[in-house]
Amino acid sequence: MRFGVLGPVTAWTDAGEPVVVQGLKVRALLADLLVHEGRPVPADRLIDDLWGSNVPGNPAGTLSAKVSQLRRAFEDAEPGSRSLVQSGPAGYSLSVSDANCDALRFGELVAANSLDEALALWRGPAYADFADNAFVETAVARLTDLRLTVLEQADLPVVDLAALVKEHPLREGLRAAHMKALYRAGRQSEALDSYAELRDLLLDELGLDPSPELVALHQSILTQDLPHARNNLPAALSELIGRDDALADVDAGLAKSRLVTLTGPGGVGKTRLALAAAAATADRFADGVVLVELAAITPDALSVANSLTDAVQAALDLRDTGGSSAVDRLAAVMGSRLLVLDNCEQVIEDVAALTDRLLAAAPGLRVLATSREPLGLAGEVVWSVPPLEVPLPSLRPQEASACSAVQLFVTRAAAASRGFALTDETVADVAVLCRRLDGIPLALELAATRVRALGVRGLVARLDDRFRLLATGHRGAAPRQQTLHAMIDWSWELLAPEEQSVLRRLAVHADGCTAEAAAAVCGEDDVLDVLVRLVDRSLVVPVEGTRFRLLESVAAYCVDKLRAAGELESAHQRHLSYYVSLAEAARPGLFGGEQSRWLQLLDEDSANFRTALDRAVATGQLDLAERLVDALAWYWFLRGRHLEAMRSLEAVPGSARAGAWRAGYMYLLGHPDAPAERDRWVDGADAMGLWWIANAASDAGDLPTCEAMLDRALKRFDSDEDQWGVAAVLAARAKHAHVRADLPALYDSACESITIFRALGDRWGVLQATGWFGAHAELVGEFDEAERLHLEGVQAAEELGLWPEVASALGMLGWTSIRQARYESARTYGERALRLATEQGQRSTQALAELVLGFAARRTGALDEASERLQALIDAARLQKESVLYLSIVLEELGFVRELQGRLEDALALHMEAFQVSVDFDSLRGMCWALEGIAACHPDKTLAAVLLGSAAATRASENYLMAATETEDLDRAVAAAGVLGEAAYEAAYARGAALSPVQAFELLVRQ
């Protein structure tokens, strides 16, 4: 049982199902017990809290009855949970801990500095439904203050901080965070205004002045001393000599490539050159330049990959906030940044892997690496740092001084030994020294420090000793494998035979297993007792109490023991059989009320499923492979793991069962051969396969074909009495109706769909229908309702861990904000949606997020940004063999951008193309937008007025709302056509009102 007070007081079962607690006083009792966080509450105190002066006739008996009701509610929801409510001499208490109570968990996370994870626990004001009760006041105040303290430290957008400041105008920590966010967003004057507002409020209401810390922050903003970006480059202690050409080359490389690696022998000056190049280019990176020193990370680290990410996080001054992977968190904060990775050669493969992932996930990132060998990544520019130029033996001082090696040596020697100079007497020795040291900067600098003691000639005389010393340097490897093997071998001999048998057979699991899985793979009825004994011997590690795993070194040892016992093949086969059966047993649970529980179960065994599939394919057991991918295909979709699904499905290319799944995933991944794969399998597909392909293909734009497939699927679902399938088809039909702006069909389909999905308890399905309800609300102008529905979708999807659905709902929130002219909010939602959709490989939502950001940029005057984003969407759409759903509206928006840029011919071409795409999709709403866009830039103003009349009449007849944000575009079109004069304009406008959009467009074609 889990309890929540960071919002309305709520209880859930461990499976995530809500616990129904009937009766206001019973719920108040639960709240009062939760306030005391497991401490006993005397009965008198509870009676006073619950009834106050209206005490019932038998207060003790009435309280006891309420306690019984609470226990019964717990027991009905989750057998055995009545014992959570305890009674004793000191009173009643509720058994809670940081594992099952969000308030306690919040405190633990804050103490551990996991602030983002802590904030994610909040669902509204603490004890929201009992906020007026006196017994919660202290707890609410404490929790609220702690939350505000955390929010002051979190990296929140300006719009969120502004709302918090409005709610808590006198809280200086929030005000400081707001001022910093405004300043870093380039809004210095607003940051100063925020300070002035607080100063006046403090004076008027409390007679106080701002704190010294806030005054100092105000001064930093006033003088622009507050840093905008992270930059940890060390200050140069000396001038970089002889590298002007090298700096220019590295700078050019960074301008053209996102990865530049400086290679060369030790001491050649890779680090010094990299630091100088980074400093010289720092102005190009809005989020700064960060140096990451890697010399201390060796291949002997317990986890080189983790050590690398830890080093990058430390250099960026980031907290480890938990949640997503470290690499994802790093990519999310990179922005426009230069990362300098110094001394990569010791762990070159792991550095290459990390760099590859960061560059792929963070498009604004550039990396400058130093290494004795290239990273070997695609697109890498390898720049070999040369030694400094050395002089010829016969050069005179003036000629020798032009060589960079001589310049460096003389400069450093003069600093170490006052009066040293390049003269006729020293030039020959300096030249010899530079040549003998191969122009290596580090060697030259070290030699220069000895000039005062030995002189140049003395240095030259001792060069042979130095070379001999360097030649003897080497490093041996410690024999850790032998020592580790001996330790495990000693532990093995202490085990009983049945313990040895279970331990070695556990080794075929990947990333642990349950006790049930262990029994099946070990070929035993029950191995729990043996597992417990192995845990006690530190050979098996318990994971969250229900799973067990081997340490990697122990697993490797046990595989050898399996092989020696002749059991390796049989253990692998039992592992394969068990996980195929588990996946098939889990699949029905993904389509109903136990969805959350089964998703969690499959998440935990993802590695075992991959291992089982690899085994089935490698041994030619394609029937088992086919069963496994068929059982897991829907799970992969719910979790947004499209690439994993595609790779797995391709392992059984001849399977008809996998063929339909593969066709749908090809559409989701934007594969150009998706239509051909659809045609290959659609005739033999069952109802689920037909729906799946049609649902996935709808974004590609072939709506008539998809609708025909949905019709076929619906008939089969009806025949099979499959209510889930019926609801899924209705949700897909709602999507099609949204494309056509068919408002009645959109509402009716969403309504029927959500009714069925709610009855089934399928939360994914409810999310789909809720999203289309929100889309309908947006189309009819009920923007607040649309926002509420999409926010509800975000929360529900986050609870389930359905990150593709979270991204989709965020994208729709961004679009709703566009329609409300809330462009800063639109940007915030769009950026979050884009980041999440990119992580999930969710192409349709990536497009929606980019569309939102493009619209926000155009509406705020950032025409170049809007042009770049919109053109990229169009270019991507044109790579597809079928028109994509968003193409029309993006063409329209880019047409408006071109119009505002004065490029009327380009704008006209875009609007006309948009009209043709809208016709293909049977979208009258899109046709209206296109006609209005054409009217704004067409040279024939009479024809423009006709087009405007047709669009207006169609909007009126179809009840198409024009939001206030769209009227500016229409006003420009009307103004452009208004040069005709009122009478001529009205006549042409009236003539257009009698024409359908297609008829009006034909006038253009005939012109």
Side-chain angles (χ1 to χ4, degrees), residues 746-785:
L746 171 58
Y747 184 85
D748 291 345
S749 294
C751 190
E752 291 183 61
S753 178
I754 201 168
T755 299
I756 299 173
F757 276 132
R758 279 177 174 164
L760 295 172
D762 189 298
R763 297 170 71 185
W764 173 86
V766 171
L767 277 172
Q768 305 309 300
T770 300
W772 295 122
F773 269 127
H776 179 272
E778 177 262 316
L779 284 176
V780 298
E782 297 174 358
F783 298 127
D784 290 342
E785 176 66 3

Side-chain angles (χ1 to χ4, degrees), residues 219-405:
Q219 184 63 29
S220 296
I221 293 174
L222 196 63
T223 58
Q224 298 189 353
D225 291 333
L226 191 67
H228 281 270
R230 174 75 175 161
N231 190 325
N232 70 341
L233 294 180
L237 300 177
S238 58
E239 179 188 3
L240 182 65
I241 297 173
R243 293 299 195 189
D244 290 347
D245 291 343
L247 278 173
D249 288 347
V250 174
D251 182 79
L254 285 172
K256 297 177 181 178
S257 174
R258 297 181 59 211
L259 171 61
V260 176
T261 303
L262 306 185
T263 62
V268 78
K270 301 184 292 296
T271 297
R272 185 72 179 84
L273 177 59
L275 293 176
T281 60
D283 291 343
R284 299 212 300 252
F285 300 96
D287 293 302
V289 179
V290 173
L291 168 66
V292 185
E293 296 276 8
L294 303 179
I297 301 176
T298 70
D300 296 333
L302 291 176
S303 170
V304 174
N306 289 344
S307 298
L308 287 173
T309 54
D310 289 347
V312 178
Q313 285 193 134
L316 288 166
D317 195 24
L318 293 178
R319 299 183 304 272
D320 187 351
T321 59
S324 58
S325 76
V327 178
D328 292 338
R329 293 195 298 275
L330 291 174
V333 300
M334 284 302 171
S336 172
R337 194 185 303 273
L338 175 64
L339 201 61
V340 182
L341 303 178
D342 191 31
N343 292 306
C344 302
E345 57 271 357
Q346 296 185 86
V347 285
I348 189 73
E349 292 185 2
D350 292 276
V351 173
L354 175 61
T355 303
D356 194 30
R357 290 182 63 188
L358 287 177
L359 289 172
L365 173 67
R366 291 182 185 258
V367 174
L368 178 60
T370 72
S371 176
R372 296 187 186 182
E373 59 179 299
L375 300 188
L377 298 177
E380 178 184 23
V381 170
V382 180
W383 202 88
S384 180
V385 180
L388 297 175
E389 181 188 5
V390 298
L392 297 173
S394 57
L395 290 180
R396 293 190 297 253
Q398 186 175 359
E399 296 165 330
S401 64
C403 295
S404 54

Side-chain angles (χ1 to χ4, degrees), residues 770-775 778 785-795 808-810 812-813 816:
T770 300
W772 295 122
F773 269 127
E778 177 262 316
E785 176 66 3
E787 184 175 35
R788 184 190 70 79
L789 289 167
H790 293 314
L791 283 171
E792 182 182 304
V794 169
Q795 181 179 351
S808 180
L810 287 170
M812 291 304 294
L813 279 168
T816 303

Side-chain angles (χ1 to χ4, degrees), residues 586 589-590 594-606 634-639 641 764 800-802:
L590 296 176
E594 294 190 341
Q595 195 172 65
S596 179
R597 182 174 74 87
W598 284 105
L599 282 170
Q600 180 65 31
L601 183 149
L602 294 175
D603 287 343
E604 291 172 350
D605 272 314
S606 287
W634 183 243
Y635 160 72
W636 287 323
F637 172 72
L638 291 177
R639 282 300 190 230
R641 284 149 61 172
W764 173 86
L800 275 174
L802 300 179

